[in-house]
Amino acid sequence: YSVDHFVRGCYASGAKVLFGVECDCIEVNCVSDGSPSCSFIAKPTSNFNKKERKIIKQLELPKGFKL
């Protein structure tokens, strides 16, 4: 899903405050793709299965982006 990066960042930050460790968030449903609502999963980064394509695509940085 490509439209809710800001919301994902907000949820990831909130999860970091709650859990006290680095967290990420992925979007599992999106109204832009026809779902009735957007749904997210936020949890510690280490708990994400980094082998799932859907997860990798959302958590990787765009090409050319540098921190």
Side-chain angles (χ1 to χ4, degrees):
Y1 307 103
S2 60
V3 296
D4 290 319
H5 298 299
F6 178 77
V7 175
R8 286 181 41 232
C10 291
Y11 285 144
S13 296
K16 182 177 180 177
V17 170
L18 289 173
F19 298 128
V21 296
E22 195 64 36
C23 292
D24 273 308
C25 179
I26 61 166
E27 187 172 13
V28 293
N29 294 307
C30 186
V31 292
S32 72
D33 287 339
S35 293
S37 63
C38 294
S39 301
F40 301 87
I41 296 174
K43 59 185 177 180
T45 302
S46 61
N47 291 355
F48 279 103
N49 179 357
K50 306 272 187 343
K51 295 182 181 180
E52 283 186 47
R53 186 164 179 71
K54 183 179 192 178
I55 294 171
I56 292 168
K57 188 172 181 179
Q58 290 191 52
L59 298 183
E60 69 183 4
L61 291 173
K63 276 189 168 182
F65 187 86
K66 296 180 182 178
L67 294 175

